[in-house]
Amino acid sequence: MKKLILIISIIIILLVIYFGYKGFNLYYYNTNSINIKDFETYVKQFNISNTITLKHKDIQDNDYFQYQNIKIRNDFKDFKQLESSTSTDTFSPQLVLKDENNNTSRAFWMGTTDTYVYLLETDKTLFGAEDRRITNTNLTKILKKNNINNDIELFNYLSSQKNIKNNIFTSVKKMKENYTIWFMISVIMPTMNNITLINGDYEGYIFNVKDSIKEVSILKNNKRYTFVFIDNTTLTDEYLTDILSTIVID
């Protein structure tokens, strides 16, 4: 009898330790603490909804707008240039046209920045010191485990993530991974409707933020060459295909 009581007591103690440990980690890696109310709906924005193919078209030299080593057809001759930067590492706005109410209704940005995969692997400042649960090492392991080598593979992976909330039966390793994925998305990724893929003479993608706001990223030289179009009318795929086909990146 005493032996049975001892065995039961040991089992109860082990269960208390186990569930206490799991409960602590469930609290520590609480995905609900991250500011994404509906994760499954949120990740749907990373769906690639369409593809456009770019075939380069030559235009006259005086029809280009050029910034550093980037050229694009100058559809912005009536725009007012508000800011210019000589940095090749950070994205900077180039041209802005304000409407009669002094609100930005039409604008164009052009610049260069790092890919999202590169930032996740190397930029420790993305997460700051406020959350010690996240490290670039954790992120690199997730990227490597899922064979994510570029931004497009990252978006495909994110769009496939469904119902990854933690519970008491989730392994601690998986809790940590789920929390890292949630945090990664909340910190680095913009809010949009969906993504259009770019192939052909250039590869890249378009964030369809709204019908009137498109953020284009051309992937080259391990960088993102970024073009942001804002127009108070709908920016069609036909127009974007046409103007993006004039891009020249040396």
Side-chain angles (χ1 to χ4, degrees):
M1 187 69 177
K2 289 183 178 179
K3 186 176 181 180
L4 178 61
I5 293 173
L6 179 61
I7 292 172
I8 293 173
S9 298
I10 291 173
I11 292 173
I12 291 173
I13 291 170
L14 290 174
L15 287 173
V16 169
I17 292 173
Y18 172 78
F19 283 106
Y21 174 69
K22 292 295 289 292
F24 169 79
N25 281 282
L26 182 61
Y27 172 78
Y28 192 67
Y29 296 111
N30 180 14
T31 53
N32 291 327
S33 66
I34 299 173
N35 190 28
I36 301 177
K37 293 182 180 179
D38 187 342
F39 184 83
E40 188 168 347
T41 299
Y42 190 84
V43 297
K44 286 180 180 178
Q45 69 177 346
F46 301 112
N47 289 335
I48 294 176
S49 61
N50 192 18
T51 300
I52 64 173
T53 300
L54 302 185
K55 294 183 179 180
H56 178 72
K57 56 173 67 176
D58 291 319
I59 60 175
Q60 298 294 322
D61 287 344
N62 58 1
D63 288 332
Y64 280 114
F65 174 76
Q66 182 168 1
Y67 173 65
Q68 296 180 354
N69 64 326
I70 317 168
K71 294 194 292 186
I72 190 171
R73 188 179 67 209
N74 191 359
D75 288 1
F76 321 104
K77 293 178 181 178
D78 58 339
F79 281 31
K80 179 182 179 182
Q81 186 165 331
L82 296 186
E83 185 176 343
S84 181
S85 171
T86 58
S87 171
T88 58
D89 298 321
T90 57
F91 175 78
S92 57
Q94 290 304 297
L95 300 170
V96 177
L97 179 70
K98 292 187 176 181
D99 65 15
E100 58 186 9
N101 296 317
N102 205 34
N103 296 316
T104 303
S105 60
R106 296 175 62 209
F108 175 68
W109 283 256
M110 185 163 74
T112 309
T113 189
D114 291 311
T115 66
Y116 286 105
V117 168
Y118 179 84
L119 290 172
L120 291 172
E121 290 178 331
T122 62
D123 192 349
K124 296 180 180 180
T125 64
L126 285 174
F127 312 109
E130 74 278 3
D131 199 325
R132 296 180 181 180
R133 290 162 285 194
I134 305 298
T135 68
N136 293 99
T137 301
N138 295 342
L139 289 165
T140 300
K141 287 181 179 178
I142 292 174
L143 296 175
K144 186 175 180 179
K145 173 185 173 182
N146 294 282
N147 297 314
I148 299 169
N149 301 297
N150 58 55
D151 286 357
I152 296 169
E153 291 174 349
L154 174 65
F155 304 147
N156 284 327
Y157 169 73
L158 294 178
S159 68
S160 71
Q161 300 305 297
K162 305 288 193 302
N163 194 27
I164 61 170
K165 289 185 178 181
N166 294 331
N167 59 60
I168 196 69
F169 299 106
T170 308
S171 70
V172 173
K173 182 179 179 181
K174 189 62 176 175
M175 285 183 190
K176 187 175 183 179
E177 183 174 308
N178 289 344
Y179 184 88
T180 302
I181 293 169
W182 276 59
F183 195 89
M184 169 182 68
I185 293 174
S186 69
V187 168
I188 197 171
M189 302 308 300
T191 300
M192 57 196 154
N193 292 328
N194 49 51
I195 297 172
T196 296
L197 189 66
I198 297 173
N199 62 23
D201 290 340
Y202 285 112
E203 292 185 349
Y205 49 86
I206 302 172
F207 289 161
N208 299 304
V209 181
K210 295 179 180 178
D211 287 342
S212 59
I213 303 176
K214 308 287 184 177
E215 180 182 318
V216 179
S217 291
I218 299 296
L219 302 176
K220 186 176 181 181
N221 305 325
N222 297 318
K223 293 285 186 179
R224 279 198 302 137
Y225 292 85
T226 310
F227 308 81
V228 179
F229 299 84
I230 300 176
D231 200 306
N232 52 5
T233 59
T234 299
L235 289 160
T236 65
D237 285 347
E238 290 75 17
Y239 171 73
L240 288 174
T241 302
D242 183 54
I243 188 170
L244 295 176
S245 294
T246 68
I247 289 174
V248 177
I249 300 174
D250 296 328

